[in-house]
Amino acid sequence: MNFSESEERVELRKAAAALGKKYGHDYYLKQARSGGKTNELWDEAGRLGYLGVSVPEEYGGGGAGIGDLAAVCEEFAAAGTPLLLMVVSPAICATVIARFGTNEQKSRWLPGFASGEVRMSFAITEPDAGSNSHRITTTARRDGGTGGPPANEGVAGGGWVLSGRKVYISGVDEADAVLVVSRMEDSKTGKLKPALFIVPTDAPGFEFRQIEMDMVSADKQFGLFLDDVKLPYDALVGSEDAAIAQLFAGLNPERIMGASFSLGIARYALDKGVAYAKERNVWGQPIGAHQGLAHPLAQVKIELELAKLMTQKAAALYDSGDDFGAGEAANMAKYAGAEVAIRAVDQSVQVHGGNGLASEYGLGTLLAAVRLGRIAPVSREMVLNFVGQHSLGLPKSY
């Protein structure tokens, strides 16, 4: 058992941190407040291979694990340049396609994920179902015959028709396509089962509308409307029988990346708070000399390190192929990361006093951003339900 990261990952962290700091939080805020995007940072990260570290080598990626991609995500956020689309595009979508996609789908999409040239959103949440994949109503039906793939796999010769709605889907305005979680009829049982489809954002019948949010973020949220969107047969990811397995292949990396995203913001806020506590002098000494400020900052540091360890454990379990073990650890890591991020930002604002809400100090905009971590990609309450039922063996509560 080794609690130290490999030399390669340590060097990857340093390189990613340097790139994030090259742009910095001022760049991020300027883009976010103007309605712009962080394209320059994303594109450079892609060219340098940081976005594709977990894509298989045969498709131009680094061939590493989700832990390495999570490290990049954390370092960018710690530099004040959080890239939310990293949680979605290379972590969820590329992972699902790499594990379950056909050879044609892998060849079509993975090289673009590796270079950062492809951006793909992920759509599971619905107005009346949240993230409960058993209750979603977005449905795919066959178009042009039943059984195996039609002789002509184009839309005209047969495929799928997709209808439904999704909400709070990140980055659709930047995406080439959306990986949509739908339901389809199981030909053996007649019951509905989850299925994932790659839907181009320019497909006829596909519409997206921005949801106005009280957050300063370069990544926008959208509602999706799928009105009989016709797709070719090969828009279905992998096998029809993979069902729930391929969905959870993406959700565990999502939680690991969500934890790392929160950890990075927590580090950014803690660094700000510590620096201010060292330099701000009142009554002849730095305010950090007072336990009323020193102890809360020390608590944040302890909780941050604990959350980071759980995140690394979750990534190691996932990369080893232990999907169930990774599920428990990933949920715990996501919970711990969100909680420490909220605590870190709140305490750093408190250390700064009134300056904590001044634009100059770069903290006020994070108050809403870190609060989102308790809600997405899975709520704190659903994590507690998971731990109660699966880790503690308590009766199911819902």
Side-chain angles (χ1 to χ4, degrees):
M1 185 174 295
N2 189 348
F3 293 98
S4 299
E5 291 187 314
S6 67
E7 183 178 338
E8 291 80 5
R9 185 176 296 177
V10 171
E11 291 303 313
L12 176 64
R13 281 186 179 276
K14 290 179 181 178
L19 179 59
K21 289 173 183 175
K22 172 183 172 182
Y23 288 87
H25 195 55
D26 289 343
Y27 159 81
Y28 181 85
L29 286 182
K30 180 182 178 182
Q31 298 304 105
R33 285 179 168 143
S34 67
K37 303 296 179 185
T38 52
N39 291 332
E40 296 88 353
L41 173 55
W42 180 277
D43 292 342
E44 187 168 356
R47 289 194 300 271
L48 294 172
Y50 301 147
L51 301 179
V53 292
S54 61
V55 173
E57 289 184 274
E58 59 265 38
Y59 297 101
I66 195 66
D68 295 290
L69 185 64
V72 173
C73 180
E74 181 187 332
E75 294 303 327
F76 283 161
T81 54
L83 297 182
L84 182 59
L85 201 58
M86 277 195 71
V87 179
V88 179
S89 188
I92 304 174
C93 301
T95 297
V96 169
I97 292 172
R99 285 189 62 175
F100 290 95
T102 63
N103 290 333
E104 291 77 13
Q105 288 168 342
K106 293 176 184 179
S107 298
R108 164 69 179 86
W109 294 104
L110 292 181
F113 283 121
S115 66
E117 294 174 274
V118 164
R119 305 185 196 193
M120 189 178 290
S121 294
F122 178 69
I124 182 171
T125 311
E126 292 191 1
D128 298 320
S131 298
N132 184 351
S133 59
H134 301 287
R135 300 287 294 177
I136 63 175
T137 58
T138 298
T139 305
R141 68 178 189 275
R142 290 186 179 276
D143 180 35
T146 58
N152 178 358
E153 292 186 356
V155 172
W160 307 96
V161 178
L162 198 61
S163 298
R165 284 187 61 195
K166 300 289 183 180
V167 291
Y168 296 111
I169 309 305
S170 303
V172 184
D173 57 334
E174 303 178 66
D176 303 284
V178 181
L179 185 61
V180 176
V181 180
S182 176
R183 301 175 80 193
M184 59 184 290
E185 184 177 321
D186 190 319
S187 59
K188 299 176 182 177
T189 66
K191 297 180 179 179
L192 292 176
K193 61 183 181 181
L196 278 67
F197 292 88
I198 300 173
V199 182
T201 52
D202 61 356
F206 179 90
E207 181 183 354
F208 57 94
R209 300 175 191 168
Q210 184 174 331
I211 301 171
E212 294 299 327
M213 305 287 289
D214 286 335
M215 291 195 308
V216 179
S217 173
D219 299 281
K220 309 304 180 186
Q221 301 297 312
F222 295 87
L224 306 187
F225 303 85
L226 299 99
D227 184 13
D228 287 344
V229 178
K230 291 190 175 184
L231 300 169
Y233 187 86
D234 61 6
L236 173 68
V237 176
S239 165
E240 294 182 35
D241 296 323
I244 200 72
Q246 63 187 19
L247 175 57
F248 283 101
L251 295 185
N252 283 337
E254 179 186 38
R255 284 151 173 70
I256 293 166
M257 292 290 285
S260 296
F261 189 86
S262 292
L263 286 173
I265 295 177
R267 284 174 51 196
Y268 174 84
L270 180 60
D271 287 347
K272 286 275 191 178
V274 169
Y276 193 82
K278 289 178 179 178
E279 67 188 31
R280 172 68 168 160
N281 274 271
V282 178
W283 295 305
Q285 62 180 339
I287 60 175
H290 302 296
Q291 292 177 350
L293 293 181
H295 283 184
L297 291 172
Q299 284 180 289
V300 169
K301 175 63 174 175
I302 291 170
E303 292 168 13
L304 197 159
E305 292 300 325
L306 292 173
K308 188 171 181 177
L309 278 174
M310 182 55 76
T311 303
Q312 291 172 340
K313 176 182 178 180
L317 287 169
Y318 183 82
D319 289 335
S320 73
D322 184 358
D323 284 343
F324 184 81
E328 178 185 57
N331 274 293
M332 291 180 176
K334 182 268 170 192
Y335 178 100
E339 295 302 309
V340 74
I342 291 171
R343 188 176 178 87
V345 172
D346 184 71
Q347 188 56 45
S348 189
V349 168
Q350 193 69 21
V351 168
H352 282 73
N355 286 336
L357 298 178
S359 299
E360 168 185 359
Y361 290 87
L363 288 170
T365 56
L366 298 179
L367 288 168
V370 292
R371 188 60 181 78
L372 182 62
R374 277 187 179 164
I375 303 168
V378 60
S379 72
R380 177 175 61 174
E381 290 72 24
M382 287 304 295
V383 171
L384 294 174
N385 282 335
F386 179 95
V387 172
Q389 180 183 346
H390 296 286
S391 303
L392 302 180
L394 296 173
K396 189 174 181 178
S397 61
Y398 61 97

